Amino acid sequence: MVNHIKTELEKLRKEINYHNERYYVLSAPEISDYEYDQLINRLKELESQHPELITPDSPSQRVGGRPVTSFDSYQFKRQMLSLDNTYSEDDLREWDRRCQKLAINRSYSFVAELKIDGLSISAMYEDSLLIRGVTRGDGEVGDVVTENIRTIRSIPLRLPEKPKFPLSSKNIQIVENDSLPLFASIENLEDDESLWPKAVQEIEVRGEVFMSNTSFRKINQEQEEKGLARYANPRNLASGTMKLLDSQVVATRKLDFFSYDLYFDGEKPFETHWQALEWLRAAGFNVNEHSQICENIDEVIKFCREWDEKRNHLDYETDGVVIKINQIALQEDFGSTTKFPRWAVAFKYPPRQAETKVNAITIQVGRTGALTPVAELTPVLLAGTTVSRASLHNEDEIIRLGLKIGDWVMVEKSGEIIPKVVKVLVDKRLENGADLEDFSMPKNCPVCGGLVVRPVGEAVSRCTNESCNAKLKEALLHFSSRDAMQIDELGEKIVEQLVDKKLVSDLAGLYYLKLSDLLSLERVGKKSAQNLLDQIEQSKKRELSELITGLGIRHVGERKARVLANHFGSLNKLILASREELTDIFEIGNTVATAIFNWFSLESNREIINKLHQAGVNFEQATSSTVAKIFAGKQFVLTGKLITFTREEAQKLIEERGGRVNSSVSKKTDYVVAGSDAGSKLEKAQTLGITILDESLFREMLDLK
Ligand code: IVH
C-alpha cells in the first residue's frame, strides 16, 4: 500500500517539477493553472495522509513553512563581492585598458549580462539538495533565508541526477585540476554522467532575486483594493519580501531568480564564465537569455547602447549591464580590491527619471469606485516614451510629497506602466515664482456626482454610487481582460460608447448586444463588430475561475478565484455559501469572505448572475481534461476547406488545447490554418508574417499524424 503511494508521490513530484520548469524557467507552460493546482492539491492530500513520506525537495515544500522569529547569520566562505560602477563609455574603455595591463599579453573576451535590479543571494546545495539560502548582507555575513528561497520556483530544490546539456555546450572544456578529481577534460557532456559532481561536497549558486513588473503591478493593485499603501518599486518589494519572517507570505509574492555565479566547494569549476552559465542552465536554473559573449570592448559598448532602449520592453527592471572577463584563470589572476573584483564592472544606466511640471491634478474613477488623483504633466521624454500623466495614487501620497498644482516634479518609471512622481523640486518654486494651488479630494464623484467617502483606516476615497458609469466602464474592461473572460476586441473606446449610449448597463449586458448595436458605434466596422460578437460568444465557455475573476469582487483576484472555483465547483454553490463556509476555506480570510458574501447579497449583482446564466455563460468547473494545453493563449484563424475535419471539429480540437479561434486575421493571430481554396485571409496572414499551417502540419501539431 505505502509502496503504491510512494510511487504515486514520486510521479506527482516529477510531473510538478517538470511543469515548474516549463513555467518558470522556459516560460512555456503546457498545462493550465487549474490543472497545475490539481496536481499540487493531490500531492498535498497524499502528503497530509502520509507525512512520513514528505521529502525536503517535494514541491509542496515551496509553499512556505512556519514563521521564524529571526534569521540566523551565515559567514560566507568566499566573500560576496559587489561591483564597481562606471557611467560612461570612456569609463568602460579605461577599465578595459586596466584589464589589458593586468592580462600581460594574454587575450581575453567578455561576457556582458544585464544588471538585474534585485538583491543578490547565495543558494547552497549538498548531496544535490538545497540546504541553505543566504542574502548578501555586508558581503561577509548574510541572513539565512532558506525557507524564503525555497518558495522561488526557478531555484531547484534538488539538482538533477544528470544535467541536460544543450547542444552548444558540447565543446565545454572542464578544467583539469587536482582539487577537482572528477573533472577531467570532457568532450561530449551530453551523455557523460561523470560530469555530475558527485565528489563535490557543496555547490553554491549565486544570483539575483527579483520580482517581475507584472507581479509587482498585481500586488500593488491588490494593495490598492485593500485600501493599503502601494510599494515603491519591484526591487524594494523583492528585498522587503526576502526579509519577511513568514515564508508563507513570501510564497504568495512570486519572486523570481536569475543565476550568474557558480562554485564547487568554493572554486569556480570551469575555464570560462560562459561555461558556468551553460552548466547552470543545464542544471535547471534560470539564466538570463540576453547574456552575450563580446570579443572586445567595442562589442561591449554596442551591447550597452542597445540595451539602454531594449530594457524598456522587459518585464523586469535592469539598472545597467555587468561586464565580466570570461576567462576564469584571468579572473583569479586579476583578483579583487577589498570591495570589488578587478575582472568585472557594472555599467550603470542613468535612472529613468525626468523633470517636468504638474499643470493640473485630475481624478480617475476605477472599477471599485476608487478615486485616483492623476498629475497632468507638461509632456516629457522618459524611458523611450512621451509621458504626460503620472499616477499620484491617493490623497496621502500627495500630502507625503508636499505636492501643489503648478509644482515642478521628478517623475520616474520603475515597474509601473504609468510613471510616478518621486519628488517635488522645491527649489524650482522659488526660481519660477510660485503660482501654486492646493489639491483637495472632491466630495462628489467627478463622473456621476455620487457621494465620495474615505473609510476610516483606508488610504483610498471611493464613489459610493453603485451604478456609477466610471465603475461600470472599468468593470467591463476587467471582465473582458486576459485573466478573466478574454474578450480582446472590447477596447476602451468601445466600452466608453457602450456605456455612454446605454447599450450596456451591467456586465451581463454584453451577452445581449446585437450586431446593429455595435454597428451604431463610431469607428466600428462590420468585420470588427462580428469579431467582437464572436469573442463574446466564445467567452461563454471560459473556465469558472475566469468568470469569478471577471466579476471583479473586491479582494478576489485570479488566485483566489481559482481557490473558490476548485472548492465549490460551480457558481451556484458559491452564491449560496455562508460567510462561515467561506472563511473555512484555506487561503480565504475574513475580509475576503465578507467581500464575497456582500457581493452576492446585493440584489443588483444577483440580477447580473441570472442574466449571465440565461445567456448561457458557463457556471461549472470543468473536469480536468487529459489533453495538454499546448495552445494556451494562442489565437487561430481557420480558412479554406479542410479535408479531414469539419471547421467545428478543428475549432473544438484547438479550444480543448487552450487555444482560441477567431474569424478574422489580425496582428494578434498566432496561427492561420489554411485548407484548400484559402483566399484573402491567407493573403493577409502572409503579409503580416503570421505562421501558416497546412492541414498536415496542423495534424502534426495536434499529434494526429
Ligand atoms: S556579478 C563579483 N552579475 O549588482 C561579481 N551582479 O552592483 C558579483 N547584479 O551585488 C556580482 N545583476 O546584486 C552580477 N548579472 C549580474 C548582476 C549582478 C545584478 C547585482 C548584484 C551585485 C550588484 C552590484
Side-chain angles (χ1 to χ4, degrees):
M1 172 63 186
V2 168
N3 259 348
H4 152 78
I5 306 251
K6 238 181 176 167
T7 320
E8 182 176 351
L9 275 171
E10 271 163 25
K11 194 169 151 254
L12 265 172
R13 287 173 187 149
K14 226 172 165 176
E15 213 175 331
I16 293 170
N17 281 334
Y18 172 78
H19 291 301
N20 271 346
E21 195 187 353
R22 298 288 318 172
Y23 190 96
Y24 291 97
V25 179
L26 304 172
S27 301
E30 285 176 5
I31 56 172
S32 67
D33 288 356
Y34 168 71
E35 285 165 306
Y36 179 84
D37 285 351
Q38 301 279 71
L39 295 175
I40 291 276
N41 288 346
R42 176 71 185 143
L43 175 69
K44 284 198 207 149
E45 183 186 329
L46 284 181
E47 287 185 346
S48 68
Q49 286 160 5
H50 299 273
E52 74 284 2
L53 298 180
I54 300 178
T55 57
D57 62 328
S58 170
S60 63
Q61 303 304 297
R62 290 195 187 275
V63 295
R66 225 177 285 152
V68 291
T69 45
S70 67
F71 295 123
D72 290 338
S73 295
Y74 180 85
Q75 166 107 39
F76 290 107
K77 292 191 199 100
R78 186 170 174 140
Q79 199 188 350
M80 261 181 106
L81 295 164
S82 173
L83 292 169
D84 202 1
N85 289 329
T86 58
Y87 296 94
S88 70
E89 294 176 2
D90 282 347
D91 285 354
L92 278 180
R93 290 188 192 282
E94 176 54 38
W95 173 70
D96 180 40
R97 277 192 287 275
R98 286 202 300 272
C99 289
Q100 281 174 27
K101 273 194 198 142
L102 291 165
I104 333 172
N105 288 330
R106 285 167 294 179
S107 63
Y108 54 83
S109 54
F110 304 96
V111 174
E113 294 169 11
L114 295 181
K115 188 170 182 311
I116 313 298
D117 203 4
L119 68 146
S120 51
I121 61 107
S122 153
M124 298 173 213
Y125 294 80
E126 270 176 28
D127 285 336
S128 297
L129 278 182
L130 174 69
I131 52 136
R132 193 181 302 112
V134 186
T135 61
R136 180 173 171 275
D138 62 1
E140 306 272 353
V141 178
D143 285 335
V144 178
V145 288
T146 319
E147 287 310 309
N148 292 351
I149 301 280
R150 279 177 168 285
T151 68
I152 303 174
R153 284 163 210 262
S154 39
I155 299 184
L157 296 178
R158 177 195 284 276
L159 300 177
E161 301 257 312
K162 182 177 157 186
K164 290 174 282 168
F165 277 91
L167 288 175
S168 64
S169 53
K170 270 191 179 173
N171 51 8
I172 286 186
Q173 296 288 311
I174 308 298
V175 195
E176 284 200 53
N177 183 332
D178 290 344
S179 62
L180 293 166
L182 263 176
F183 292 87
S185 177
I186 291 163
E187 242 120 63
N188 187 343
L189 295 181
E190 259 190 300
D191 309 310
D192 204 321
E193 290 186 31
S194 67
L195 181 76
W196 201 239
K198 291 203 177 67
V200 174
Q201 300 245 304
E202 183 196 76
I203 293 180
E204 183 181 357
V205 174
R206 293 178 177 179
E208 202 79 354
V209 170
F210 67 99
M211 184 178 285
S212 72
N213 292 340
T214 307
S215 299
F216 172 69
R217 287 199 283 267
K218 270 199 181 147
I219 291 173
N220 258 351
Q221 202 181 332
E222 282 164 21
Q223 287 290 104
E224 204 149 80
E225 281 170 15
K226 288 180 197 156
L228 299 172
R230 299 168 64 94
Y231 296 101
N233 57 50
R235 175 175 35 86
N236 283 7
L237 181 53
S239 76
T241 301
M242 201 36 76
K243 291 194 188 102
L244 291 176
L245 296 166
D246 186 349
S247 52
Q248 291 198 12
V249 180
V250 181
T252 65
R253 297 268 176 93
K254 296 245 167 84
L255 292 172
D256 211 331
F257 180 70
F258 277 127
S259 57
Y260 49 67
D261 215 358
L262 173 68
Y263 301 92
F264 289 173
D265 287 333
E267 299 295 329
K268 297 200 177 192
F270 296 108
E271 250 178 31
T272 65
H273 176 60
W274 191 255
Q275 289 164 349
L277 295 183
E278 296 222 300
W279 188 96
L280 285 164
R281 212 171 260 140
F285 289 91
N286 223 3
V287 175
N288 191 282
E289 58 179 325
H290 305 300
S291 306
Q292 189 180 302
I293 296 184
C294 296
E295 293 303 334
N296 52 49
I297 203 73
D298 288 325
E299 282 183 33
V300 168
I301 289 171
K302 188 163 166 266
F303 182 94
C304 295
R305 281 187 194 163
E306 271 174 25
W307 279 98
D308 193 12
E309 203 290 318
K310 285 206 242 168
R311 72 195 181 112
N312 294 326
H313 311 291
L314 296 170
D315 193 26
Y316 44 84
E317 293 293 299
T318 53
D319 56 342
V321 173
V322 179
I323 304 114
K324 302 169 182 175
I325 298 279
N326 192 21
Q327 288 69 22
I328 303 295
L330 288 191
Q331 286 190 4
E332 311 270 302
D333 256 25
F334 288 16
S336 342
T337 65
T338 49
K339 268 185 161 162
F340 311 125
R342 292 192 188 87
W343 48 267
V345 77
F347 175 77
K348 296 270 280 190
Y349 290 126
R352 292 188 293 192
Q353 289 186 334
E355 292 181 6
T356 186
K357 192 177 168 203
V358 175
N359 298 312
I361 295 178
T362 54
I363 299 289
Q364 246 178 14
V365 187
R367 147 174 81 85
T368 56
L371 268 62
T372 307
V374 176
E376 304 290 340
L377 309 167
T378 302
V380 61
L381 200 65
L382 176 61
T385 48
T386 306
V387 166
S388 52
R389 311 182 85 195
S391 174
L392 294 164
H393 306 309
N394 55 50
E395 217 174 350
D396 289 352
E397 176 70 2
I398 297 176
I399 296 168
R400 189 186 69 79
L401 288 164
L403 175 69
K404 294 174 192 287
I405 301 163
D407 258 329
W408 276 78
V409 291
M410 181 76 87
V411 285
E412 182 183 273
K413 225 170 191 180
S414 159
E416 310 269 10
I417 292 170
I418 307 170
K420 63 166 175 268
V421 174
V422 283
K423 72 171 178 212
V424 172
L425 304 169
V426 182
D427 290 352
K428 288 226 172 184
R429 279 184 186 165
L430 304 174
E431 269 172 43
N432 298 321
D435 183 11
L436 304 169
E437 202 185 310
D438 281 321
F439 166 81
S440 60
M441 216 41 162
K443 304 264 177 296
N444 295 88
C445 171
V447 176
C448 70
L451 189 68
V452 170
V453 293
R454 180 176 166 183
V456 183
E458 288 200 13
V460 179
S461 307
R462 289 177 206 278
C463 165
T464 51
N465 173 13
E466 271 312 314
S467 46
C468 170
N469 268 356
K471 281 191 198 177
L472 177 58
K473 286 176 188 171
E474 290 298 323
L476 284 165
L477 287 173
H478 173 77
F479 185 75
S480 57
S481 67
R482 282 257 150 144
D483 291 343
M485 301 301 264
Q486 300 155 34
I487 310 172
D488 289 356
E489 297 278 328
L490 194 70
E492 222 166 292
K493 295 250 157 62
I494 298 187
V495 166
E496 283 275 312
Q497 298 186 61
L498 289 175
V499 174
D500 292 344
K501 295 192 174 179
K502 301 199 169 29
L503 290 168
V504 168
S505 58
D506 60 33
L507 293 181
L510 284 179
Y511 293 98
Y512 296 86
L513 282 170
K514 295 188 291 295
L515 190 64
S516 56
D517 293 335
L518 295 177
L519 289 175
S520 74
L521 307 180
E522 271 165 43
R523 273 184 299 227
V524 178
K526 208 164 175 188
K527 226 179 191 174
S528 54
Q530 189 55 50
N531 251 345
L532 176 53
L533 281 186
D534 290 350
Q535 283 196 352
I536 293 175
E537 188 58 32
Q538 282 179 31
S539 75
K540 292 180 183 171
K541 296 180 217 150
R542 296 282 169 260
E543 287 183 14
L544 174 60
S545 63
E546 291 167 328
L547 172 64
I548 299 174
T549 306
L551 295 178
I553 304 168
R554 251 180 102 190
H555 309 301
V556 180
E558 222 186 317
R559 167 143 198 97
K560 296 255 176 337
R562 259 188 285 131
V563 171
L564 293 168
N566 286 345
H567 184 89
F568 290 101
S570 99
L571 193 68
N572 291 331
K573 286 195 186 138
L574 169 62
I575 297 170
L576 296 174
S578 67
R579 217 177 305 216
E580 292 68 35
E581 221 173 310
L582 288 162
T583 32
D584 277 350
I585 306 171
F586 180 63
E587 285 199 66
I588 305 286
N590 252 331
T591 325
V592 187
T594 307
I596 299 168
F597 184 79
N598 289 347
W599 198 92
F600 287 111
S601 308
L602 267 183
E603 189 50 43
S604 53
N605 288 339
R606 290 213 171 218
E607 215 167 278
I608 294 173
I609 299 292
N610 280 338
K611 278 167 70 183
L612 288 172
H613 195 241
Q614 272 163 23
V617 173
N618 169 47
F619 275 21
E620 305 300 318
Q621 172 85 305
T623 43
S624 159
S625 102
T626 46
V627 191
K629 298 282 185 266
I630 51 170
F631 296 150
K634 296 281 182 247
Q635 307 214 16
F636 283 75
V637 171
L638 302 171
T639 178
K641 249 193 238 126
L642 298 171
I643 303 163
T644 50
F645 341 74
T646 63
R647 279 274 177 99
E648 289 68 36
E649 282 165 352
Q651 176 157 353
K652 190 159 170 269
L653 287 164
I654 294 169
E655 286 175 355
E656 274 173 2
R657 287 158 178 76
R660 254 190 303 152
V661 178
N662 296 322
S663 50
S664 67
V665 178
S666 76
K667 275 187 294 193
K668 289 183 198 148
T669 310
D670 296 292
Y671 297 105
V672 169
V673 180
S676 56
D677 300 330
S680 61
K681 290 186 192 174
L682 177 59
E683 268 170 39
K684 184 158 183 206
Q686 279 161 340
T687 48
L688 290 174
I690 289 160
T691 310
I692 295 158
L693 305 171
D694 63 16
E695 193 161 344
S696 61
L697 263 177
F698 179 53
R699 289 183 70 85
E700 247 175 68
M701 280 177 86
L702 294 166
D703 225 1
L704 305 170
K705 273 160 221 150

